[in-house]
């Protein structure tokens, strides 16, 4: 295993910015494969902060003695398939080279951070950093003049936390978000005891739902019920912890424009109630996309931050940022001075982590080139012309509660490698027809879903990256149960849909 960081944890190793926290229930977020692990681990909070999740992942690495197989500080820069050996030549940044029969990529969905393309970024004389690269050493925020650029899930968490200590905070917002309350809380001993006793049911429920969360879609349509019932249901969801308002809502809010407009109005009403200045409230209400059509950031007092006298919201659609200066940020109508600039500007999502490795398959074909107009995969795990490469959480896999999905993806890939090894097969490849059929199915499964009409990292948009300005279907939207069913069928039929040799 090659790992760029100096420790385990991936997302939870890197993203140590203030307020970094999981929006999945912690007790659905751990590994399910070891009863002993489930038995001994005590989650402290219903939604674990970065330190707790990082501690958990270190515990897992220690418990299963994983570190002896991991080479830290090892960035893979290239991986080339060689037909002569039916293996991969893996090259590292420091010049080391390794060869392997199978190449498993577990390089993350959101692991290639991107800085904004704003002139002058490198000229700023104060402290600045992308949230992904937040330093391990404490950053002194008290009494500082701080800027945050970006208001995605990361920006929302960062803003809420830093607003507690900074001297003055200025938020530069391009697109407001439909945030909803997280309602986090400590887990009591009694609750943890119940959780432990219920792990089989909890994981079984996650298997049944669309996104592997404990929240299952309500079978009713929004307009099937009376306005009073609808309102009461939404009040209930808004008051409950986690993604219920997104994943456990009426079945049609993410497909039907009228239903979506109604839930959007409901959440807009909440923003208006929570933000005192009506002008600021309007700026915080999304106008160009409906509720849930982008990843819903869960928050813990985000909107109230804008009631603080030391917090200013700058809508950069009105007054665009012209440049970063040595002392701060210049917009079209003002010049701001800062001690610290925080870039919460997101990631080159899903394919970005692949694009930055020179991955070459049969006859030197480049993966980046192959995916130029959008990924093509078989089950999000295999790619034709790239034999013996298996992707854990590659493009076209389902997203959602990631550990649940990643565990399945890892198991399926392991099953296939075992199958090959047991039969002396040395070459596994998706067929071109298989990859085309899966890619077509992935695209078809997103038809009619409102998210597909909106710019976001989930539709492959990142204006800070060359060529990532056209919407593409990057993930499977048919839901995890359907995904697993398809994967199971392929395995049960002896992987005959693959090209095995
Ligand atoms: P996101 O959700 O992609 O958010 C990035 C934010 O940064 C978003 O508000 C962007 O505005 C903004 N952005 C990006 N580039 C610029 C420039 N050049 N100028 C101004 N603002 C900019 O990333 P996150 O890290 O918050 O979240 C990613 C996922 O990680 C999240 O969904 C969780 O699943 C975990 P835009 O909306 O594009 O107008």
């Amino acid at each position: 295993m090659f790992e760029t960081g100096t420790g385990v944890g991936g997302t939870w190793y890197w993203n140590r910015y203030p307020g970094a926290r999981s929006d999945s229930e912690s007790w659905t977020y751990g590994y399910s494969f070891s009863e002993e692990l489930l038995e001994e681990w005590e989650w402290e909070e219903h939604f674990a902060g970065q330190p707790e999740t990082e501690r958990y992942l270190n515990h897992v690495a220690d418990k299963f003695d994983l570190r002896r197989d991991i080479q830290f500080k090892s960035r893979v820069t290239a991986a080339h398939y060689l037909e002569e050996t039916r293996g991969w030549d893996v090259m590292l940044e420091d010049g080391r080279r390794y060869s392997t029969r199978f190449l498993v990529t577990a390089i993350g969905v959101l692991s290639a951070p991107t800085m904004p393309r704003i002139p002058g970024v490198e000229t700023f004389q104060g402290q600045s950093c992308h949230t992904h690269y937040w330093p391990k050493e404490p950053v002194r925020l008290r009494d500082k003049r701080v800027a945050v650029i970006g208001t995605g899930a990361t920006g929302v968490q960062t803003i809420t936390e830093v607003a507690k200590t900074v001297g003055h905070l200025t938020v530069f917002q391009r697109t407001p978000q439909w945030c909803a309350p997280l309602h986090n809380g400590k887990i009591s001993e009694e609750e943890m005891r119940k959780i432990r006793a219920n792990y089989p049911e909890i994981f079984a429920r996650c298997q049944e739902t669309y996104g592997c969360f404990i929240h299952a879609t309500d079978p009713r349509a929004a307009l099937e019920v009376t306005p009073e019932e609808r309102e009461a249901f939404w009040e209930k969801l808004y008051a409950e912890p986690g993604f219920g308002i997104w994943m456990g809502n009426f079945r049609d809010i993410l497909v039907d424009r009228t239903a979506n407009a109604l839930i959007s109005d409901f959440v807009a009403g909440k923003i208006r109630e929570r933000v005192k200045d009506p002008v600021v409230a309007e700026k915080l209400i999304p106008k160009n996309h409906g509720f849930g059509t982008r990843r819903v950031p869960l928050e813990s007092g985000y909107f109230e931050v804008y009631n603080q006298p030391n917090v200013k919201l700058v809508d950069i659609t009105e007054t665009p940022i012209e440049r970063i200066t040595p002392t701060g940020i210049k917009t079209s109508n003002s010049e701001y001075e800062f001690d610290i600039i925080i870039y919460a500007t997101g990631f080159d999502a899903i394919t970005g982590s692949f694009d930055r490795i020179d991955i070459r398959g049969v006859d030197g074909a480049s993966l980046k080139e192959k995916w130029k107009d959008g990924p093509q995969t078989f089950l999000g795990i295999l790619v034709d012309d790239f034999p013996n490469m298996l992707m854990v959480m590659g493009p076209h896999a389902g997203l959602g509660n990631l550990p649940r999905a990643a565990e399945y993806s890892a198991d399926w890939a392991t099953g296939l490698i075992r199958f090959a090894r047991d039969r002396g097969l040395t070459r596994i490849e998706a067929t071109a027809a298989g990859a085309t059929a899966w890619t077509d199915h992935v695209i078809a499964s997103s038809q009619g879903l409102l998210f597909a009409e909106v710019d976001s990292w989930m539709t492959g948009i990142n204006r800070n990256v060359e060529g990532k300005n056209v919407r593409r279907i990057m993930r499977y939207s048919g839901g995890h149960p359907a995904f697993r069913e398809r994967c199971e069928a392929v395995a049960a039929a002896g992987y005959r849909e693959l090209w095995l040799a």
Side-chain angles (χ1 to χ4, degrees), residues 3-30:
E3 164 58 49
T4 312
T6 57
V8 296
T11 290
W12 302 106
Y13 168 87
W14 292 103
N15 293 275
R16 48 186 77 241
Y17 60 84
R21 183 175 296 287
S22 173
D23 288 340
S24 298
E25 286 74 7
S26 54
W27 32 273
T28 70
Y29 201 72

Side-chain angles (χ1 to χ4, degrees), residues 67-228:
R67 277 175 229 278
R68 65 183 175 158
D69 293 321
I70 307 176
Q71 303 197 22
F72 293 102
K73 290 196 272 183
S74 300
R75 179 180 285 284
V76 172
T77 51
H80 296 170
Y81 176 72
L82 302 173
E83 200 61 81
E84 311 87 81
T85 58
R86 293 188 168 183
W88 285 85
D89 187 12
V90 178
M91 286 150 264
L92 273 66
E93 197 172 45
D94 60 11
R96 281 178 292 156
R97 284 176 93 122
Y98 292 84
S99 48
T100 175
R101 168 81 65 215
F102 296 107
L103 176 69
V104 178
T105 65
I107 52 182
V109 176
L110 293 151
S111 54
T114 48
M115 287 289 283
R117 291 198 283 193
I118 304 173
V121 165
E122 63 301 334
T123 65
F124 182 62
Q125 299 291 307
Q127 254 182 300
S128 66
C129 125
H130 190 287
T131 43
H132 180 78
Y133 291 122
W134 195 268
K136 285 182 182 166
E137 309 71 49
V139 175
R140 290 172 64 89
L141 296 161
R142 188 163 293 284
D143 302 328
K144 295 281 166 62
R145 296 163 303 170
V146 176
V148 177
I149 302 179
T151 52
T154 301
V156 165
Q157 291 184 335
T158 307
I159 290 160
T160 310
E161 192 58 28
V162 303
K164 294 174 185 166
T165 46
V166 295
H168 193 279
L169 173 66
T170 310
V171 175
F172 292 87
Q173 171 188 271
R174 186 163 67 185
T175 311
Q177 306 290 335
W178 291 108
C179 311
L182 174 68
H183 296 302
N184 192 18
K186 294 262 183 254
I187 299 179
S188 66
E189 266 179 41
E190 175 59 16
E191 277 177 315
M192 195 60 228
R193 205 185 49 72
K194 278 195 193 139
I195 289 167
R196 253 196 221 106
N198 282 326
Y199 269 131
E201 291 77 20
I202 291 168
F203 289 127
R205 179 165 171 90
C206 291
Q207 294 272 309
E208 287 162 13
T209 65
Y210 178 88
C212 295
F213 290 98
I214 51 152
H215 311 281
T217 316
D218 191 283
R220 297 169 298 168
L223 290 144
E224 262 170 31
V225 302
T226 64
E228 294 71 31

Side-chain angles (χ1 to χ4, degrees), residues 60 75 163 240 256 290 436 445:
V60 174
R75 179 180 285 284
E240 281 176 355
D256 182 273
T436 303
S445 75

Side-chain angles (χ1 to χ4, degrees), residues 143-321:
D143 302 328
K144 295 281 166 62
R145 296 163 303 170
V146 176
V148 177
I149 302 179
T151 52
T154 301
V156 165
Q157 291 184 335
T158 307
I159 290 160
T160 310
E161 192 58 28
V162 303
K164 294 174 185 166
T165 46
V166 295
H168 193 279
L169 173 66
T170 310
V171 175
F172 292 87
Q173 171 188 271
R174 186 163 67 185
T175 311
Q177 306 290 335
W178 291 108
C179 311
L182 174 68
H183 296 302
N184 192 18
K186 294 262 183 254
I187 299 179
S188 66
E189 266 179 41
E190 175 59 16
E191 277 177 315
M192 195 60 228
R193 205 185 49 72
K194 278 195 193 139
I195 289 167
R196 253 196 221 106
N198 282 326
Y199 269 131
E201 291 77 20
I202 291 168
F203 289 127
R205 179 165 171 90
C206 291
Q207 294 272 309
E208 287 162 13
T209 65
Y210 178 88
C212 295
F213 290 98
I214 51 152
H215 311 281
T217 316
D218 191 283
R220 297 169 298 168
L223 290 144
E224 262 170 31
V225 302
T226 64
E228 294 71 31
E229 279 175 280
R230 207 162 44 230
E231 194 79 3
F233 182 50
W234 285 341
E235 285 292 350
K236 177 175 163 291
L237 291 177
Y238 200 79
E240 281 176 355
F243 274 136
I245 195 155
W246 190 24
M247 299 286 160
N249 214 313
F250 293 117
R251 70 174 145 82
D252 56 347
I253 62 145
L254 303 177
V255 290
D256 182 273
R257 280 173 217 287
T258 312
N260 187 262
L262 285 169
I263 179 70
S264 301
D265 283 349
F266 173 85
V267 180
K270 291 290 179 194
I271 299 173
R272 289 190 186 103
E273 275 170 26
R274 292 173 59 184
V275 179
K276 286 191 189 130
D277 181 336
V279 177
V280 176
E282 284 319 301
K283 286 189 204 297
L284 289 166
I285 296 172
K287 305 288 186 314
N288 65 355
H289 66 284
F291 176 83
T293 60
R294 283 177 143 204
R295 199 280 204 189
V296 174
L298 295 184
E299 47 84 29
S300 308
Y302 174 65
F303 292 111
E304 286 72 12
V305 162
Y306 297 96
N307 297 334
Q308 287 180 213
N310 63 340
V311 175
K312 183 180 170 65
L313 177 67
V314 177
D315 178 345
I316 60 168
T317 59
E318 284 173 4
T319 55
I321 297 177

